[in-house]
Amino acid sequence: MRFLPIIILSTGLLTGFEAVAQTSPPSSVPTAKKRKAKDIIKDAVQVSGGPKLSAGASASGGVSSNLGAKDGSLSSPNLNISNPEDAKKFATETLPDLGLKIAKGYKKVKKELKSLKKEFNGRDYEGLRVEKQILRQGSGSRLTYSEFYTLREYKQPDLYSRHLYWFDHRANRIVEGIGRDKERNDLMHGPYKKYLGDLLIEEGWYYMGTKHGRWELYDKNNNLLNKEYYEKGFARDADISYYDESQKKIKEVLPRNYDKVTGEYFLFNESGTLAEHGMMDDSVKVGQWVEYYPTGNRRKKEVQYGRDCFDTGFESYVIREYDERGKMIFESPKVKKN
């Protein structure tokens, strides 16, 4: 009976943190398995910078522990609690120190969660009101579940946005396009998550219809397949030059990926219309490039380049040319006719 207070105190700690850990997520999002209280305590101690907790029964029938001291060092390689004095020391010295570390760890985690709530509260994002949408596609093992948000009221996208994503209510799917019917399409805005069954396979953010922030893609084993960063539609690390000192009129978007000029390239007229667009691979033009007339909505020339930067034997050629009215005035003999 002398050890009863120690058992009650330890059980109280575990019960308290188990109650904190069991917060219920939104019913619309697949839930993960509940974690045990001892795992919550272990993580909390590690977050606070304290040593790991590892306790078990000793050979003499007492309780052994390698709990660390306040400075992080081990106070004893094997602390055996087999008499009232050891139990008293454990209760008055070790447990209070452990409780302090756990409390600090929990406060740090709570602070991080609070900062996330400030970023998105489910009602508005970046000062714009949003509406939650749910999309289910497929069936059985191929059932995908997407949870995302759209603008509650339409707002004109940025002039330089070349990839806009909308939720088509009538077709019940997410579509890409610069111009869409505003009566049946809403711009994507806010967090996006896609699940395959209970597995998260894709997540990211939208801003005014453009991809924004970090986007990640996972396989069915939760392995990260791809990670990309965007800044309101453009690659985050892209070099952007401007016509004006106030940096409102974009001139050129030069893509960069791991210090290489790789990705989607844009050249704009001073009026904001698109002048040229294509892909680059390690500073080499690849694929099909398109030049536009100053109006930005009519093609002037289409040019074909190699598949990648290693396709050095490929000779680029003009695919088609158009006049200002949109009529084709030239087509390369290399174009295959169906």
Side-chain angles (χ1 to χ4, degrees), residues 89-299:
K89 184 177 181 181
F90 179 77
T92 58
E93 297 180 9
T94 306
L95 280 181
D97 183 49
L98 173 62
L100 181 61
K101 292 179 184 294
I102 293 174
K104 289 182 178 179
Y106 172 69
K107 288 181 179 179
K108 185 175 182 180
V109 173
K110 188 176 180 180
K111 185 177 180 181
E112 292 178 356
L113 291 175
K114 189 175 181 180
S115 65
L116 289 176
K117 289 182 180 179
K118 286 183 178 179
E119 185 177 7
F120 182 70
N121 56 19
R123 299 183 299 274
D124 58 79
Y125 175 58
E126 296 289 345
L128 298 174
R129 300 284 291 176
V130 295
E131 185 176 2
K132 187 176 181 179
Q133 309 288 351
I134 301 295
L135 178 61
R136 293 179 176 86
Q137 295 175 311
S139 60
S141 60
R142 295 185 178 181
L143 175 66
T144 60
Y145 168 95
S146 300
E147 180 181 290
F148 53 92
Y149 293 79
T150 58
L151 284 177
R152 186 176 290 272
E153 296 181 1
Y154 175 78
K155 187 175 178 63
Q156 181 65 37
D158 186 79
L159 175 65
Y160 298 97
S161 300
R162 307 310 302 177
H163 297 290
L164 293 176
Y165 295 87
W166 311 69
F167 178 53
D168 188 327
H169 292 272
R170 187 176 300 177
N172 197 35
R173 62 191 180 97
I174 298 172
V175 296
E176 180 186 353
I178 295 180
R180 301 287 297 183
D181 181 7
K182 303 175 185 61
E183 295 297 324
R184 53 180 284 186
N185 293 268
D186 290 327
L187 280 171
M188 305 284 286
H189 187 75
Y192 169 87
K193 290 187 178 182
K194 184 177 182 179
Y195 297 87
L196 177 61
D198 291 339
L199 301 174
L200 178 66
I201 58 175
E202 187 178 15
E203 63 178 335
W205 292 77
Y206 285 101
Y207 177 83
M208 295 281 294
T210 63
K211 286 189 174 183
H212 185 60
R214 183 176 65 189
W215 277 76
E216 295 180 339
L217 188 66
Y218 306 90
D219 64 12
K220 62 181 180 180
N221 296 317
N222 201 33
N223 296 315
L224 182 64
L225 297 177
N226 189 38
K227 179 165 59 175
E228 296 177 325
Y229 292 88
Y230 295 90
E231 182 65 31
K232 297 179 180 178
F234 297 121
R236 188 186 65 178
D237 297 329
D239 291 334
I240 302 179
S241 58
Y242 300 84
Y243 285 102
D244 58 334
E245 294 183 359
S246 59
Q247 297 188 351
K248 292 183 178 180
K249 296 182 178 181
I250 297 178
K251 179 180 181 180
E252 182 184 49
V253 179
L254 190 65
R256 287 199 176 275
N257 188 16
Y258 296 103
D259 295 327
K260 292 185 178 181
V261 181
T262 299
E264 196 169 13
Y265 172 90
F266 296 93
L267 178 66
F268 293 94
N269 297 304
E270 190 169 1
S271 61
T273 58
L274 186 61
E276 189 176 11
H277 168 251
M279 299 295 294
M280 301 194 73
D281 183 15
D282 199 5
S283 301
V284 177
K285 290 183 176 181
V286 295
Q288 181 175 304
W289 280 61
V290 181
E291 295 179 23
Y292 296 86
Y293 282 100
T295 56
N297 57 358
R298 290 193 183 277
R299 295 190 174 199

